[in-house]
Amino acid sequence: MKLLTNPKPFKELIPKVLQVILNIGLTVLALALCVMLIVEMVEFLKFIINSGKQEYKYFLAKILVFFLYFEFITMIVKYFKEDYHFPLRYFMYIGITAMLRLIIVEHDSALDTLIFAGVILILIIGYYIINITPRERPVKKY
């Protein structure tokens, strides 16, 4: 009867259950990304074997997709190493890499390239601001 009147065990149980579900989901995602990373490496080998049959733009796009997979896997590893926390800087790394991919692959329009470069500049400024601010924030006690 006491379990029904005291909601504290439920408040502690729900976050733990959701954390386990999140960890399982991220582990499955990491495994899927590893498989896709291997597929990209096979594509590299195919490109090298048939080097004269495909464009260099395709190869550059594949390299950057490879790095995006690599960064997502690294971010998931950091999540588990840093006690279930995603560092914001990794999202910025991924954003910068994605924008670089767009500039390399889609550089037909000068205005679009300039906008993509502006986005990269904003991400770099944000990254700089994150690095100069203190990491530990004081905890407010109520």
Side-chain angles (χ1 to χ4, degrees):
M1 243 355 182
K2 189 172 186 170
L3 182 66
L4 294 175
T5 59
N6 188 2
K8 189 172 182 179
F10 290 112
K11 287 183 180 179
E12 294 173 0
L13 179 66
I14 291 173
K16 288 180 183 179
V17 169
L18 292 175
Q19 187 68 53
V20 168
I21 293 169
L22 178 65
N23 291 346
I24 291 169
L26 282 174
T27 303
V28 170
L29 178 63
L31 292 173
L33 288 171
C34 287
V35 169
M36 294 306 296
L37 192 70
I38 292 169
V39 168
E40 289 299 322
M41 288 193 314
V42 169
E43 288 288 323
F44 289 147
L45 292 175
K46 286 181 183 178
F47 181 81
I48 291 170
I49 292 171
N50 303 325
S51 62
K53 296 180 182 177
Q54 294 177 348
E55 293 184 23
Y56 73 94
K57 283 184 182 180
Y58 174 79
F59 184 66
L60 290 175
K62 287 295 185 179
I63 288 174
L64 288 168
V65 168
F66 177 83
F67 279 110
L68 284 172
Y69 286 132
F70 186 76
E71 286 177 2
F72 275 114
I73 293 169
T74 303
M75 189 172 64
I76 292 171
V77 169
K78 281 291 188 184
Y79 170 79
F80 287 112
K81 283 186 176 180
E82 293 194 12
D83 204 19
Y84 311 116
H85 172 70
F86 280 119
L88 183 60
R89 67 182 183 273
Y90 283 98
F91 287 110
M92 294 186 149
Y93 294 155
I94 291 170
I96 291 169
T97 304
M99 294 312 296
L100 284 172
R101 179 184 181 277
L102 276 174
I103 288 174
I104 290 172
V105 175
E106 303 289 331
H107 60 272
D108 297 334
S109 169
L111 182 61
D112 288 346
T113 303
L114 183 64
I115 292 170
F116 297 154
V119 170
I120 292 172
L121 179 63
I122 291 169
L123 286 169
I124 291 171
I125 290 170
Y127 180 76
Y128 177 75
I129 291 170
I130 287 173
N131 280 339
I132 64 172
T133 57
R135 294 190 191 269
E136 295 296 322
R137 305 269 191 243
V139 178
K140 294 181 181 179
K141 294 183 181 179
Y142 296 99

